[in-house]
Amino acid sequence: MVLTASLAIGYASGYRYNLGERKIYKVSIVHFISDPQSTIYVNGLYVEKKTPKAIYLEPGRYNLELKQDGYNSFFISIHLKSGELFEKKDITLFKKDITLQTASNQSAFNKIVDDSLVSPSNLVMIGGHEIWQNGKLVTRFSKNIYQVLYYTNQNYIVYQNDDEIGAIRSDGTNNVKLVDYKYQNPVSISFKNRGQTMVISDGGNIMSAVIN
């Protein structure tokens, strides 16, 4: 009876017994918050839960993916220790197949832009091919980079290269193309509606697109 009660208390406290390894471990917790809400996959298997959600896993290595129809997936590989809490609360999923819409005039452009961001001093390009943040390399491209700036939540870096405008997390992961854009001079890039809309001006053309 005492053993049964002890096992029940241990289970309620998050402890489990691994029969294969014959040892007790404490479950680890993974907590995701994403915009938009997305489905969690663990090692390619559907977990049947949508963010924001906590999932409970044994200690070990995992490949995790957040998916939502019409959006680029978010990927992360982690190594969980016994009883560890792993949280990611700043995940943005960007739309696939984004289409730019042309604004009719400058006044329309002025009404669109309300979240303009300037490239801060801790975010720099080196040699036209590398992006650095706080003295650390974020990523390196084979193509020319014309400009970099922070996305609205500042956990992503938006860049313009020879062929496209894209976004990458500031840790160098989850690089995605936002739009095809072949213009080999820096353009003006701004955001509105908490990053849902991107606005581009190249001096002659003004365009916008829903990206999130």
Side-chain angles (χ1 to χ4, degrees):
M1 191 75 172
V2 174
L3 177 60
T4 303
S6 299
L7 288 172
I9 292 171
Y11 192 89
S13 301
Y15 289 93
R16 304 290 185 271
Y17 182 70
N18 187 311
L19 291 173
E21 298 182 7
R22 296 184 179 180
K23 67 179 182 182
I24 296 174
Y25 66 90
K26 191 170 186 179
V27 294
S28 304
I29 302 173
V30 176
H31 183 224
F32 287 128
I33 297 178
S34 68
D35 179 25
Q37 287 186 319
S38 51
T39 304
I40 304 170
Y41 286 74
V42 179
N43 293 337
L45 300 177
Y46 176 47
V47 176
E48 296 189 33
K49 292 183 177 179
K50 276 189 173 290
T51 58
K53 210 69 177 180
I55 57 175
Y56 301 88
L57 299 169
E58 293 185 13
R61 295 183 182 277
Y62 295 93
N63 294 316
L64 305 174
E65 181 180 2
L66 302 186
K67 286 185 177 183
Q68 175 64 19
D69 289 345
Y71 289 80
N72 290 285
S73 294
F74 173 86
F75 299 92
I76 189 168
S77 296
I78 59 175
H79 184 194
L80 294 173
K81 298 177 181 178
S82 178
E84 180 181 356
L85 170 62
F86 179 88
E87 290 187 293
K88 278 284 183 187
K89 299 180 179 181
D90 55 4
I91 299 169
T92 300
L93 272 61
F94 294 102
K95 286 180 175 288
K96 294 179 179 178
D97 304 321
I98 295 170
T99 302
L100 287 169
Q101 303 289 332
T102 302
S104 57
N105 51 50
Q106 185 67 40
S107 62
F109 171 74
N110 293 335
K111 290 177 182 177
I112 288 173
V113 177
D114 58 20
D115 283 337
S116 299
L117 294 177
V118 219
S119 179
S121 59
N122 70 335
L123 189 63
V124 296
M125 298 177 293
I126 294 183
H129 296 275
E130 296 178 348
I131 300 175
W132 290 69
Q133 180 191 46
N134 296 322
K136 295 182 179 179
L137 178 66
V138 175
T139 191
R140 180 181 292 112
F141 292 96
S142 60
K143 300 175 181 178
N144 294 311
I145 308 170
Y146 296 102
Q147 72 160 314
V148 291
L149 71 159
Y150 280 121
Y151 180 61
T152 303
N153 63 16
Q154 297 197 17
N155 295 304
Y156 292 79
I157 297 167
V158 175
Y159 61 85
Q160 175 197 353
N161 66 22
D162 286 329
D163 302 321
E164 65 189 34
I165 294 172
I168 187 170
R169 280 188 68 87
S170 55
D171 60 8
T173 64
N174 289 276
N175 181 30
V176 299
K177 178 182 74 173
L178 297 178
V179 292
D180 290 316
Y181 202 80
K182 298 182 186 296
Y183 189 82
Q184 297 181 353
N185 284 299
V187 297
S188 171
I189 302 174
S190 303
F191 306 97
K192 71 163 290 188
N193 297 332
R194 291 175 296 177
Q196 289 188 347
T197 303
M198 177 174 68
V199 182
I200 301 169
S201 173
D202 60 18
N205 299 306
I206 301 165
M207 290 157 285
S208 68
V210 177
I211 62 173
N212 168 244

